Amino acid sequence: MSKTYIFILSTFITLMACTSSHDSKMYGELEKADSLLMKELPDSAYKELILIGQPTKNDRKCKAYHALLVTQARYLLYMSTDSCADIDYAIEYYKETEDKEKLARALHWKAGLLSEVGRYLEAIEAEKGAEANINENSNPMLCIRIYDKISWLNNKTGNHSLAKEYDFKALHLAEKLKNKERIANAYYNISYSYTGLEKVDSALYHIEK
């Protein structure tokens, strides 16, 4: 084996090790930003994401995670987004993996972007895709967000009965969490759905809960 070949091989191995280390470090930084989003601190999370910067093109794992987090942070901060290209990248990546929760998150935030521009039927399709990727072990706050959005979209498109079903699903989870804010929000949504159904007594009953 020639010295030149050994040198090239060792250089390649060193570069691969450095790249792997960098990717691992970036993923850890993205997880820290994600933890801020979980604490409902989108402003702090977005600042962290700006500091982290863009992943390399060939680092699909970090690129997908980054796209998911940036989309979520910008949406929660009411920042406009020109297209769904970034979140679509994340969706396609997570479809290839076993990470169903991140796929559900990506589909949920895509539904948010679609609903902002009035594409309600497409948003419902995306949100139903999100629902299909959650289960009893999923993050309950994510489930509540998905149920709330499905309810909102169905009320928007006149399907108040189905909206009400999802309101009660959100209420059930909120009560399990003993989250007073989410419980109050669920009762408001139930009242809104009953109003759409022209059941005034039921609407008043739940708004007063």
Side-chain angles (χ1 to χ4, degrees), residues 1-205:
M1 188 180 292
S2 69
K3 290 182 179 180
T4 302
Y5 178 80
I6 292 171
F7 174 76
I8 293 171
L9 182 60
S10 62
T11 301
F12 175 76
I13 292 170
T14 301
L15 286 172
M16 288 298 292
C18 289
T19 301
S20 177
S21 175
H22 176 266
D23 292 349
S24 177
K25 181 183 177 184
M26 174 169 275
Y27 199 84
E29 290 171 343
L30 290 171
E31 287 180 319
K32 289 178 183 177
D34 197 1
S35 70
L36 293 171
L37 286 172
M38 294 297 181
K39 294 173 185 174
E40 300 192 350
L41 298 169
D43 186 56
S44 299
Y46 191 62
K47 288 175 183 176
E48 284 295 315
L49 290 166
I50 291 172
L51 290 173
I52 292 168
Q54 290 282 349
T56 58
K57 287 184 178 180
N58 57 352
D59 184 0
R60 296 185 66 219
K61 185 177 181 180
C62 283
K63 189 176 178 184
Y65 199 13
H66 183 270
L68 168 60
L69 299 183
V70 168
T71 301
Q72 181 174 345
R74 288 180 64 88
Y75 184 86
L76 293 173
L77 292 169
Y78 304 100
M79 299 171 70
S80 61
T81 302
D82 294 333
S83 75
C84 294
D86 286 344
I87 200 64
D88 280 341
Y89 181 92
I91 289 168
E92 291 307 310
Y93 174 80
Y94 290 122
K95 279 181 178 178
E96 298 173 11
T97 73
E98 295 299 315
D99 198 335
K100 291 186 177 296
E101 187 153 310
K102 284 193 178 68
L103 175 57
R105 287 174 65 184
L107 286 162
H108 169 67
W109 296 113
K110 179 174 182 176
L113 296 180
L114 291 169
S115 64
E116 280 193 335
V117 293
R119 294 162 64 180
Y120 300 127
L121 294 180
E122 291 173 74
I124 289 173
E125 184 180 351
E127 205 68 79
K128 291 295 288 181
E131 184 188 16
N133 283 283
I134 56 174
N135 55 48
E136 65 275 6
N137 298 315
S138 299
N139 183 313
M141 288 301 294
L142 171 62
C143 297
I144 290 172
R145 284 185 183 277
I146 290 170
Y147 296 152
D148 281 349
K149 195 67 177 182
I150 293 175
S151 167
W152 186 88
L153 287 164
N154 276 288
N155 272 320
K156 200 74 177 175
T157 53
N159 196 343
H160 306 295
S161 182
L162 185 57
K164 177 173 62 69
E165 289 181 26
Y166 280 94
D167 292 331
F168 278 104
K169 285 185 178 186
L171 175 62
H172 175 68
L173 279 180
E175 288 177 333
K176 284 181 69 176
L177 292 175
K178 297 180 180 179
N179 186 317
K180 292 181 179 180
E181 182 181 347
R182 289 292 176 176
I183 291 171
N185 185 67
Y187 276 120
Y188 173 84
N189 290 340
I190 291 168
S191 176
Y192 186 86
S193 295
Y194 272 123
T195 300
L197 290 166
E198 299 182 354
K199 294 185 177 182
V200 179
D201 289 344
S202 294
L204 289 173
Y205 172 80

